[in-house]
Amino acid sequence: MKKDMTEQEAYLQLAALCAQAEHCQQEMRDKMRRWELDETVQNRIVARLVKERYVDDERYARAFVKDKIRYNKWGRRKVQQALWQKHIDADVQQRVLDEIDEIEYLDILRPLLKQKRKSIKAESDYELNQKLVRFALGRGFGFDIIRQCLNVDDIDIEDIDDDETD
């Protein structure tokens, strides 16, 4: 498609792309591979983009994690898997994932579980909780935090019932 593209043209196009939104090195390499650019040219362009701070995998990972958790309501595991697929270094992944605010993280899972609870048909509380756990695990949340949210939700329900009987 763009086989006759020069190194400078490719660089300018990628720099313009990076100026609009955060991108990681792997996305740049994928794009250049589709353009059928030579691997040595790809390496030079990526090195230049990194040197000139158009591409910064850690900055990208921070933005990616924040967006996926806040807007897509993904859990840590799903985010970590997506970062792995984008070839983000494991130490960068760990550093960025460790920065996630626990309270905000819980504030995302609780309403998600409450909303899902309304649409689940179950014959017992046990079955309901199993379905909620499977749902949250599929979203990438860890079992401990799921259990913590379900226990809190159960306590909330019990508190409401106790208030009504008094």
Side-chain angles (χ1 to χ4, degrees):
M1 166 177 128
K2 298 188 179 195
K3 205 169 192 171
D4 55 347
M5 179 183 275
T6 67
E7 184 173 336
Q8 182 64 14
E9 288 171 339
Y11 166 77
L12 290 172
Q13 202 161 349
L14 293 174
L17 193 66
C18 290
Q20 295 171 2
E22 287 292 342
H23 292 281
C24 63
Q25 291 182 36
Q26 188 60 39
E27 289 173 342
M28 298 296 99
R29 289 183 190 284
D30 290 345
K31 194 165 272 303
M32 288 186 285
R33 207 168 288 121
R34 283 193 300 273
W35 294 342
E36 299 177 11
L37 290 176
D38 186 58
E39 198 167 324
T40 55
V41 172
Q42 289 181 31
N43 291 336
R44 280 198 304 266
I45 292 173
V46 168
R48 186 173 170 194
L49 290 169
V50 169
K51 182 176 162 253
E52 296 177 7
R53 308 243 331 124
Y54 280 108
V55 172
D56 179 338
D57 280 356
E58 189 162 342
R59 188 178 64 210
Y60 170 82
R62 274 196 180 84
F64 184 85
V65 167
K66 188 174 85 172
D67 285 354
K68 293 302 177 192
I69 288 177
R70 282 191 186 151
Y71 303 115
N72 296 45
K73 302 189 184 332
W74 286 7
R76 274 189 181 92
R77 289 190 176 142
K78 190 167 182 170
V79 171
Q80 187 173 21
Q81 186 177 24
L83 289 172
W84 177 81
Q85 288 177 324
K86 293 185 178 286
H87 301 274
I88 303 295
D89 286 340
D91 60 321
V92 171
Q93 285 181 34
Q94 199 54 55
R95 229 182 357 262
V96 171
L97 289 169
D98 286 345
E99 293 172 4
I100 297 171
D101 181 42
E102 284 302 314
I103 293 161
E104 182 184 352
Y105 196 59
L106 283 167
D107 288 345
I108 285 168
L109 181 55
R110 276 193 196 106
L112 204 59
L113 289 172
K114 283 185 178 173
Q115 189 64 36
K116 186 66 177 173
R117 177 177 272 156
K118 293 174 188 173
S119 67
I120 291 180
K121 291 174 178 53
E123 294 182 18
S124 67
D125 284 347
Y126 176 79
E127 186 183 346
L128 174 72
N129 281 339
Q130 290 299 308
K131 289 181 177 186
L132 287 171
V133 166
R134 267 197 305 274
F135 165 75
L137 286 171
R139 280 290 183 111
F141 290 92
F143 189 72
D144 289 343
I145 197 167
I146 296 168
R147 194 172 57 224
Q148 186 180 344
C149 284
L150 288 176
N151 289 342
V152 167
D153 287 349
D154 290 344
I155 290 166
D156 288 345
I157 291 167
E158 289 169 11
D159 289 345
I160 292 167
D161 290 342
D162 290 345
D163 292 345
E164 289 173 1
T165 56
D166 288 345

